[in-house]
């Protein structure tokens, strides 16, 4: 209840109360309250009686839900019976998979003593009754009752009865007043679809195409490099186990040796012949 109105600066209606509330634990589970007497401490110009049978809210991994139920309600404003009901309920369900639902029920619902049937999500039913307000003439309390049942992709809301109140009247010797008084909500429930936990996908191996490199051809014999002009050209003659690096030098030494051998032999023959001549 959230009601407040003043006439010529003087409060004539005051009522501010929440009777029965439940909020599901953030980590999951259920919160509830039951068998609460409907009273409005400190109210002015407003009285109420009845019982909040239950308010409950549940949060789970795969669904959340909430419900509220009121019994034997009687609400009066400025001494006039405004709303009466045997039972009023609201319930919502929000599964993780599937449609969200919102439902309300009424048994014995009356506005200013007349039975009413509320249709969800319509302008509702409006009625008025004469009331007595100090400082006003022809005072009247106007009340509109509406019913809400809505669902979305992510949640649901059910409000069994929402009463919007206005006070009208004429100040003696003055203008007509239209004073917003406030609202009363009877049996409300809301829920949200639990978030789906998306598993971390396992990375799929991907084949990466590597450019094919040409297979190197076997090394082919190549022509001998021109070579460094400062180095001697390679020779096809076999290397001989002697000091020196030229075959021409070898032949020069061989010829010289042969000449010496021949010379030695000649000399020796000459010597022998001389000796023979002397001996003779």
């Amino acid at each position: 209840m959230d009601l407040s109105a003043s006439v010529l600066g003087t409060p004539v209606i005051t009522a501010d109360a929440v009777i029965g509330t439940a909020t599901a634990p953030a980590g999951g589970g259920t919160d509830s309250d039951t068998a609460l007497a409907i009273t409005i401490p400190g109210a002015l110009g407003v009285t109420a009686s009845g019982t909040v049978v239950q308010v409950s809210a549940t949060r789970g991994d795969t669904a959340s839900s909430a419900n509220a139920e009121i019994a034997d309600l009687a609400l009066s404003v400025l001494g006039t019976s405004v709303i009466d009901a045997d039972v009023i309920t609201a319930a919502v369900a929000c599964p993780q998979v599937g449609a969200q639902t919102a439902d309300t029920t009424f048994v014995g619902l009356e506005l200013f003593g007349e039975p009413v049937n509320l249709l969800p999500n319509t302008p509702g039913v409006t009625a008025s009754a004469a009331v007595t307000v100090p400082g006003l003439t022809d005072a009247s309390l106007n009340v509109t009752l509406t019913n809400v049942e809505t669902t979305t992709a992510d949640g649901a809301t059910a409000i069994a009865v929402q009463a919007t109140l206005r006070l009208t009247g004429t100040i003696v010797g003055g203008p007509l007043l239209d004073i917003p008084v406030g609202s009363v909500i009877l049996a409300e429930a809301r829920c949200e679809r639990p978030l789906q936990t998306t598993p971390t996908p396992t990375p799929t191996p991907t084949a990466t195409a590597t450019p094919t490199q040409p297979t190197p051809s076997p090394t082919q014999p190549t022509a001998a490099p021109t070579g460094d002009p400062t180095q001697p050209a390679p020779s096809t003659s076999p290397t001989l186990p002697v000091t020196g690096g030229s075959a021409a030098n070898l032949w020069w030494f061989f010829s010289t040796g042969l000449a010496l051998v021949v010379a030695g032999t000649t000399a020796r023959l000459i010597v022998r012949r001389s000796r023979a001549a002397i001996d003779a």
Side-chain angles (χ1 to χ4, degrees):
M1 296 185 185
D2 185 10
L3 303 175
S4 178
S6 297
V7 175
L8 298 176
T10 301
V12 293
I13 298 175
T14 301
D16 185 5
V18 175
I19 306 166
T21 181
T23 301
T30 299
D31 179 29
S32 65
D33 213 341
T34 58
L36 301 173
I38 298 176
T39 61
I40 315 171
L44 173 66
V46 180
T47 60
S49 63
T51 303
V52 173
V53 178
Q54 182 186 50
V55 286
S56 178
T58 300
R59 186 194 311 267
D61 292 336
T62 59
S64 63
S65 61
N67 67 81
E69 180 179 349
I70 298 172
D72 303 322
L73 173 70
L75 173 65
S76 297
V77 178
L78 297 174
T80 300
S81 177
V82 178
I83 301 174
D84 293 279
D86 295 331
V87 178
I88 300 175
T89 69
V92 290
C94 297
Q96 190 177 72
V97 178
Q100 321 298 292
T101 61
D103 298 291
T104 58
T105 63
F106 321 95
V107 176
L109 180 61
E110 296 180 352
L111 175 59
F112 293 124
E114 297 294 328
V116 294
N117 181 30
L118 297 181
L119 298 178
N121 312 317
T122 65
V125 176
T126 299
S128 61
V131 291
T132 301
V133 178
L136 290 181
T137 59
D138 301 322
S140 177
L141 183 65
N142 303 279
V143 179
T144 298
L145 302 184
T146 56
N147 170 259
V148 176
E149 294 181 1
T150 61
T151 60
T152 67
D154 299 321
T157 299
I159 301 175
V161 178
Q162 179 165 327
T164 303
L165 285 67
R166 302 185 71 86
L167 182 63
T168 61
T170 302
I171 297 176
V172 178
L176 174 68
L177 298 181
D178 186 348
I179 306 169
V181 177
S183 64
V184 176
I185 293 177
L186 304 172
E188 176 182 15
R190 300 175 184 267
C191 67
E192 293 181 354
R193 182 196 296 272
L195 296 177
Q196 294 191 21
T197 303
T198 304
T200 304
T202 303
T204 303
T206 335
T208 303
T210 305
T212 304
Q213 301 295 329
T215 304
S217 303
T219 305
Q220 300 297 328
T222 57
T226 303
D228 190 337
T230 62
Q231 300 296 327
S235 172
T236 57
S237 301
T239 303
L240 301 178
V242 293
T243 303
S246 170
N249 292 338
L250 180 60
W251 285 109
W252 183 85
F253 286 121
F254 181 75
S255 300
T256 303
L258 179 60
L260 291 176
V261 171
V262 172
T265 303
T266 303
R268 194 170 182 179
L269 289 175
I270 293 172
V271 171
R272 284 184 179 181
R273 286 180 181 179
S274 298
R275 285 182 180 177
I278 294 172
D279 292 341

